[in-house]
Amino acid sequence: MMEAAFDSINRLKDQYSDTRDDRLRIRADYHGDTFASMIEALAAIPMYELNSVDATIALAGFKKNMIEIQHLADQFVADRNKRGADILFPGSMAMLDLRQYKAQAESHKQVFVNALKPFDD
């Protein structure tokens, strides 16, 4: 499940500007319903079955990163829609920068995978 969720994060560009091309790209790359479904699926994983504190923390961090990306992408699209309607919207986002969130998600995924690997003697 984490691999599928990470793939959906990875499909997103690192940055989106308020340009026609990037508006088209984010519509092709980001699917809010898919993100919401994956966050729910990750939340349904019983933490006690992981048998690893590191895996539990990494999974919680990864879910947090997904929620943050979802919130930022939703806000960017909504702000763009408001700007497109010529409505003055203070605090709107002219650029969406996901580099930090994507890097953290990748780090959490790697910790999760490593924590669940069987120990080699």
Side-chain angles (χ1 to χ4, degrees), residues 14-31:
D14 290 346
Q15 296 176 313
Y16 292 91
S17 298
D18 189 14
T19 64
R20 181 181 181 279
D21 287 345
D22 274 358
R23 287 192 304 271
L24 292 173
R25 280 190 188 108
I26 197 164
R27 290 192 193 320
D29 298 338
Y30 173 73
H31 304 285

Side-chain angles (χ1 to χ4, degrees), residues 5-121:
F6 185 71
D7 286 345
S8 68
I9 290 172
N10 233 9
R11 280 191 291 272
L12 296 171
K13 283 182 36 178
D14 290 346
Q15 296 176 313
Y16 292 91
S17 298
D18 189 14
T19 64
R20 181 181 181 279
D21 287 345
D22 274 358
R23 287 192 304 271
L24 292 173
R25 280 190 188 108
I26 197 164
R27 290 192 193 320
D29 298 338
Y30 173 73
H31 304 285
D33 291 342
T34 301
F35 256 66
S37 297
M38 289 191 183
I39 291 166
E40 288 298 318
L42 290 170
I45 296 172
M47 297 281 198
Y48 65 87
E49 288 186 7
L50 295 177
N51 292 329
S52 166
V53 172
D54 289 341
T56 302
I57 292 169
L59 180 59
F62 186 85
K63 287 188 297 190
K64 180 180 179 289
N65 295 136
M66 282 202 73
I67 290 167
E68 291 167 338
I69 290 170
Q70 180 185 34
H71 173 73
L72 290 171
D74 286 345
Q75 182 181 353
F76 182 78
V77 170
D79 286 355
R80 176 60 200 128
N81 290 340
K82 289 179 183 181
R83 285 192 308 274
D86 292 326
I87 296 172
L88 181 60
F89 188 72
S92 62
M93 298 166 54
M95 173 173 269
L96 176 60
D97 189 344
L98 299 174
R99 291 176 292 185
Q100 168 188 341
Y101 303 98
K102 289 176 70 175
Q104 289 174 348
E106 184 172 14
S107 175
H108 286 127
K109 180 185 130 316
Q110 192 60 47
V111 169
F112 183 82
V113 169
N114 290 340
L116 294 181
K117 281 184 183 175
F119 293 105
D120 294 326
D121 289 17

